[in-house]
Amino acid sequence: MGVKVRTFGIVFDTEELSGYSSGDLVSGQVLLEASDRLAVATVRLEAKGCARVNWSDKAAAPSAVTAPRYREEVVYLQHQQTLQQATGDQGWFTLQPGKHEFPFSFQLPQGPLVTSFNGKYGSVKYWVTAILERPGVPNQIVKREFSVTSQIDVNAPNFQSSVSKSKEKTIGCWFFTSGPISLSANIERSGFCNGEAIPIYAEFENCSSRLIMPKAAIFQTQTYLANEKTKTFRQMIANVRGNHVASGSTESWNGKALKIPPVIPSILDCCIIRVEYSLAVYVHIPGSKKLMLELPIVIGTIPYNSFGSRTASICSQFSMDMSWLQLALPEQPEAPPNYADVVSEEDLARQFPSLPQAEHLEHEFGSPIFAYIQEFRFQPPPVYSEVDPNPTFTEEMQCEVSFEI
């Protein structure tokens, strides 16, 4: 009877390349194709998501069989849904030969969901399971995973501050020591996304007698926690090197680029699994341990918005530059002095002679002063000319002067 089911699978409506996020709707269909009439009791769906940790401590036991194991699990999603079931006392229903679709949909929790991850000693997975129950036949099960991404905005203020460190090391032993090797590094922000290049600013000073090589690398550190025990796995995911620095020389990195390869975002919100990143700037010293300093970085999902950050920076700088006006200007401006207090009556009479009265002006013009003003009210403007009709004395003199050679 089991051969009557040709296909049994799960298809999602929208399979996001970047993964679903908290609060998203997951929908699709369970597909079933029967070659003959099929008696079915129930078609149901289960969705689950959890973080799991599992490793054994072989160093704590003489053999691998007796080595203690550490396991832990945290559930983030648990959902059950009946797509179709039998009704009545019969206990089953009949599907005709051919293809059948059973649609499903459920919403992811609104709370933060941990990003899907598959590591060395643990994983974070989300999946959907379709179960076909038939009378007298073992259940038929199909499973399909889907990806979930926890959104991290690298434009957050705590990811926009610069990070810098410096370190120094002296090469030699006892009384046979050479000069120190100093290293300082700085990055303008700590939040980045996949595909971005990290500009590195660093100074390498070699006062020793050895030839050194400056390098930089991005490290991924996976931390697993179970039963109050911790397991760590660390790997390099990208690196870059500079030029050799001879004895008594220095080298500067003014924005040397180190590109981030495609990796999962940082996992910082899981209590049993953490995935963290760091930028290591170090110096390879022949015959000695490397001089290294690490700058913590976060790899997010929402890209860096340089325009928004620059605008905020300019506005902040402008507000700081204009803050002196608040100190320079008084809270309440003073009233201007009275004109009579500044200019005396004698000065006023000396500088501004008395104006003629209106009767005197009418006698001079031979008509009322108002009519004389009205005469020029609607006169056209003067004709444009490049020759000044009223040249100054200096211009007249310049026209009359001639030079004889």
Side-chain angles (χ1 to χ4, degrees), residues 13 39 73 88 99 142 278 293 355 361 379 386 388:
D13 289 338
E73 179 178 301
K99 297 180 180 179
V142 63
S278 62
L293 52 84
L355 297 176
L361 292 175
Q379 292 293 328
E386 294 185 356
D388 190 356

Side-chain angles (χ1 to χ4, degrees), residues 18 47 59 185 203 234 302 393 395 404:
S18 59
E203 294 286 340
R234 178 182 170 96
I302 301 177
F393 176 75
E395 293 176 347
E404 297 182 357

Side-chain angles (χ1 to χ4, degrees), residues 372-384:
Y372 182 77
I373 295 175
Q374 291 292 101
E375 180 182 355
F376 293 93
R377 182 177 181 182
F378 301 103
Q379 292 293 328
V383 180
Y384 173 76

